[in-house]
Amino acid sequence: MKLLDKVCVVTGAASGIGKEIALRFAQEGGKVVIADLSKEAAQRTVDDIHRDGGQAMAVGMDVSDELLVRGAIAEVVAAWGKIDVLVSNAGIQIVQPLESYRFADWKKMLAIHLDGAFLTTQACWPHMKAAGGGSIIYMGSVHSKEASVLKSAYVTAKHGLIGLSKVAAKEGGPQGIRANVICPGFVRTPLVDKQIPEQARELRISEEEVVRNVMLKETVDGEFTTVEDVAEVALMLASFRSNALTGQSIVVSHGWAMQ
Ligand code: NAD
């Protein structure tokens, strides 16, 4: 088992990519903390993990709220004594043209993606230090490397995560704390299902064209990336044995954005 008794906090783990990462970590013996906006939604992932014989606990946390983040991490440490892995994954998408992008939406996007990554990192940091090291994984995107129309706030935030992870890797190196970014292509989750009709409306094309000509156009095979694909990479980063793999970003996208 690759994560036996490792305490792994996964934000946004009530749904989609975060949920699959939590399930996968639990299969490898991790004690998984399901952190999401509502504790009830988080508890449903916990129930799934318990049903499969794994260990998990739910915490309610808005990642953009400093007090809630600190309170939830304190709850985890009180229950399980340490933190070994943080997957900063919680996120949303709001698509609008730059010219009319609402400032309130811009601030909300940066707060969830960037403040959330910063606050959860800061809250977990002393516990990783005390444990002699840890692994921080930020959920970036191909949009950490590339731009798309309608996504000014998302592209800005996802690029920003690369900068944060590099600093975390440098400052964390001497403490054995590693930091990396996963950059998935499009994955069919509620976040993507919601934006297909929205993009169709804004771009005046059909939903099928959004999928074929916008989302999957640059892939090598016209395929969506899956939650399982992303979870496998997260497992590799979480369980990697040394600082040899830190400060990096790994694109998982069926070949969209080759480097
Ligand atoms: P999702 O909508 O299925 O899940 C997102 C989860 O985050 C939800 O459970 C939601 O409640 C939670 N969340 C939202 N705001 C929160 C907050 N303020 N505090 C705590 N939890 C919050 O979406 P997903 O597709 O699984 O996305 C997960 C991450 O992966 C996001 O960061 C997203 O940007 C990134 N990503 C997704 C794709 C994709 O194609 N789906 C591609 C690249 C990157």
Side-chain angles (χ1 to χ4, degrees):
M1 290 214 178
K2 292 183 176 160
L3 292 175
L4 191 61
D5 288 332
K6 297 284 183 196
V7 177
C8 309
V9 177
V10 186
T11 70
S15 173
I17 292 172
K19 178 171 185 176
E20 187 62 31
I21 290 173
L23 296 172
R24 190 72 190 90
F25 282 10
Q27 284 166 5
E28 292 292 334
K31 295 166 83 167
V32 188
V33 180
I34 311 300
D36 212 294
L37 279 175
S38 107
K39 194 167 178 173
E40 292 68 40
Q43 186 60 43
R44 287 195 284 277
T45 302
V46 170
D47 293 343
D48 289 347
I49 290 174
H50 285 168
R51 216 171 294 123
D52 292 344
Q55 298 185 77
M57 70 179 276
V59 293
M61 172 203 286
D62 176 342
V63 294
S64 65
D65 183 315
E66 183 181 5
L67 286 181
L68 293 180
V69 169
R70 288 191 181 281
I73 295 302
E75 207 180 313
V76 173
V77 174
W80 281 342
K82 60 173 187 158
I83 294 177
D84 300 294
V85 177
L86 166 66
V87 184
S88 170
N89 164 79
I92 61 167
Q93 179 61 282
I94 302 174
V95 291
Q96 290 161 25
L98 175 55
E99 189 182 8
S100 53
Y101 209 98
R102 283 184 292 276
F103 188 38
D105 289 334
W106 167 270
K107 284 193 280 195
K108 185 174 179 185
M109 287 291 286
L110 297 199
I112 294 174
H113 290 274
L114 286 180
D115 297 1
F118 167 74
L119 291 171
T120 51
T121 298
Q122 206 176 45
C124 292
W125 195 271
H127 306 293
M128 290 186 174
K129 239 166 90 175
S135 175
I136 301 173
I137 300 166
Y138 298 107
M139 197 51 64
S141 163
V142 166
H143 287 110
S144 300
K145 314 269 181 183
E146 303 264 331
S148 292
V149 295
L150 307 177
K151 295 190 174 175
S152 52
Y154 191 78
V155 169
T156 302
K158 292 301 191 189
H159 273 66
L161 289 177
I162 300 229
L164 176 62
S165 82
K166 288 179 178 174
V167 176
K170 286 210 170 187
E171 292 191 11
Q175 338 275 351
I177 300 174
R178 296 176 293 104
N180 293 285
V181 184
I182 303 178
C183 301
F186 281 97
V187 182
R188 273 322 269 267
T189 65
L191 181 141
V192 162
D193 287 339
K194 174 175 166 285
Q195 72 179 273
I196 292 172
E198 290 172 354
Q199 289 217 39
R201 209 167 40 245
E202 290 284 355
L203 299 172
R204 297 172 195 281
I205 57 178
S206 71
E207 293 188 15
E208 203 254 319
E209 284 170 316
V210 170
V211 171
R212 201 183 51 231
N213 297 339
V214 178
M215 295 184 161
L216 304 180
K217 183 163 181 243
E218 303 289 334
T219 62
V220 295
D221 53 9
E223 299 277 339
F224 277 100
T225 300
T226 66
V227 290
E228 290 83 3
D229 296 328
V230 182
E232 217 46 52
V233 177
L235 176 62
M236 191 262 290
L237 289 173
S239 59
F240 203 80
R241 286 178 183 280
S242 76
N243 276 346
L245 185 47
T246 195
Q248 307 303 319
S249 49
I250 302 180
V251 179
V252 191
S253 65
H254 284 256
W256 173 26
M258 294 186 192
Q259 295 170 311

